[in-house]
């Protein structure tokens, strides 16, 4: 399979200072294997991560926080990881807060070629400071710019040998939209099958969006993600 790479080969495509979209909601739908590969190398640091949250202490993106690979985090919910709060208070991590629905739409817009959009969310709050404001039908709105990144790390259930992807229930979360909004898309999957084995109606991310496929080295046991033996 031309797109299949080891995690180590895939991570070599990430550059120092890159912006990276990372799928996941909490730990659900998180590309753990690729996060491990980033944590194990020193060539790509000073990363800006755009994700819903920073995992949990020492888990998921929380691991990259402890290894010092992160420069900035853009997302909507960081308080599940006390290490993120501590790093921000100590000036070791930049944080940009964006409401959850807003970040979802900003990434979707980035993938659709839309430069920006107006919303009412956050009007009159600190999150709206410095943003352009307009009035539509008597209501105040602020301009939000679309989000794109050079790299996206996404997690899917299965890929076929072309790179078409299907997802597992809520593990789908932000992954499909992130696959459309990056120059380099690395998909971590649990299984790879032959072309034609996936139900065409179940394919969410077409192969044209996927550049690299990596096999996941984790599995869920008793509600906990552990490395496969």
């Amino acid at each position: 399979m031309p797109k299949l790479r080891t995690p180590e080969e895939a991570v070599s495509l990430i550059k120092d200072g890159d912006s990276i979209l990372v799928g996941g909601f909490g730990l659900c739908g998180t590309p753990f294997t690729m996060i491990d590969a980033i944590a194990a190398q020193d060539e790509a640091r000073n990363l800006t991560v755009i994700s819903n949250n920073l995992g949990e202490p020492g888990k998921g993106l929380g691991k990259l926080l402890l290894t010092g690979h992160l420069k900035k985090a853009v997302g909507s919910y960081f308080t599940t990881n006390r290490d993120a709060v501590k790093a921000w208070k100590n000036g070791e991590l930049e944080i940009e807060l964006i409401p959850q629905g807003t970040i979802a739409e900003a990434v979707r817009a980035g993938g659709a070629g839309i430069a920006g959009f107006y919303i009412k969310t956050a009007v009159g709050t600190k999150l709206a400071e410095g943003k352009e404001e307009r009035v539509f039908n008597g209501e105040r709105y602020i301009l939000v710019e679309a989000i794109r990144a050079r790299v996206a790390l996404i997690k899917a259930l299965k890929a076929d040998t072309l790179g078409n992807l299907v997802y597992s229930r809520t593990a789908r979360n932000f992954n499909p939209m992130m696959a459309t909004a990056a120059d380099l898309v690395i998909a971590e999957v649990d299984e790879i099958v032959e072309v034609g084995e996936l139900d065409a109606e179940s394919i969410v991310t077409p192969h044209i969006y996927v550049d690299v496929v990596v096999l996941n080295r984790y599995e869920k046991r008793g509600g906990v993600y552990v490395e496969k033996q």
Side-chain angles (χ1 to χ4, degrees):
M1 179 184 176
K3 292 183 178 180
L4 181 61
R5 298 287 186 272
T6 66
E8 293 72 27
E9 290 171 335
V11 80
S12 70
L13 302 173
I14 300 174
K15 301 176 181 178
D16 191 73
D18 263 345
S19 58
I20 306 180
L21 290 160
V22 183
F25 187 97
L27 296 178
C28 182
T30 296
F32 292 108
T33 302
M34 281 305 304
I35 290 171
D36 283 354
I38 293 174
Q41 56 76 53
D42 286 318
E43 288 72 27
R45 286 182 172 269
N46 303 301
L47 303 174
T48 294
V49 165
I50 303 121
S51 188
N52 180 67
N53 54 281
L54 284 179
E56 297 177 3
K59 299 177 182 179
L61 286 171
K63 179 176 289 188
L64 296 186
L65 187 61
L66 295 180
T67 57
H69 283 78
L70 302 186
K71 175 184 177 182
K72 182 177 180 179
V74 179
S76 42
Y77 195 61
F78 297 124
T79 52
T80 54
N81 190 342
R82 61 180 178 272
D83 294 329
V85 177
K86 181 180 178 181
W88 172 73
K89 284 184 176 179
N90 292 340
E92 300 165 353
L93 178 72
E94 298 176 46
I95 283 181
E96 180 179 346
L97 284 173
I98 303 180
Q100 193 170 85
T102 304
I103 196 171
E105 178 61 11
V107 173
R108 189 203 68 82
I114 298 169
F117 53 96
Y118 287 93
I119 60 170
K120 291 196 289 184
T121 306
V123 168
T125 72
K126 286 186 175 294
L127 296 182
E129 291 180 359
K131 296 186 182 295
E132 178 186 327
E133 183 175 313
R134 288 187 62 181
V135 175
F136 296 94
N137 298 318
E139 298 279 354
R140 295 165 61 197
Y141 290 76
I142 57 172
L143 176 66
V144 175
E145 294 185 10
I147 292 176
R148 285 190 61 86
R150 199 187 78 81
V151 181
L153 304 181
I154 63 172
K155 173 68 174 62
L157 177 65
K158 293 182 182 180
D160 65 17
T161 52
L162 286 177
N164 294 302
L165 304 180
V166 298
Y167 299 88
S168 175
R169 300 174 177 153
T170 56
R172 174 172 169 170
N173 51 69
F174 295 89
N175 287 292
M177 63 189 75
M178 288 183 172
T180 69
D183 302 324
L184 172 67
V185 177
I186 301 172
E188 180 178 321
V189 301
D190 295 343
E191 183 182 357
I192 299 173
V193 300
E194 294 298 322
V195 173
E197 291 188 36
L198 296 178
D199 176 10
E201 295 298 323
S202 298
I203 293 172
V204 175
T205 299
H207 67 89
I208 193 67
Y209 288 109
V210 179
D211 299 294
V212 176
V213 176
V214 169
L215 276 171
N216 176 29
R217 293 175 178 170
Y218 281 79
E219 61 185 353
K220 196 171 184 179
R221 295 183 198 160
V224 179
Y225 292 95
V226 296
E227 288 193 66
K228 297 177 183 176
Q229 299 299 315

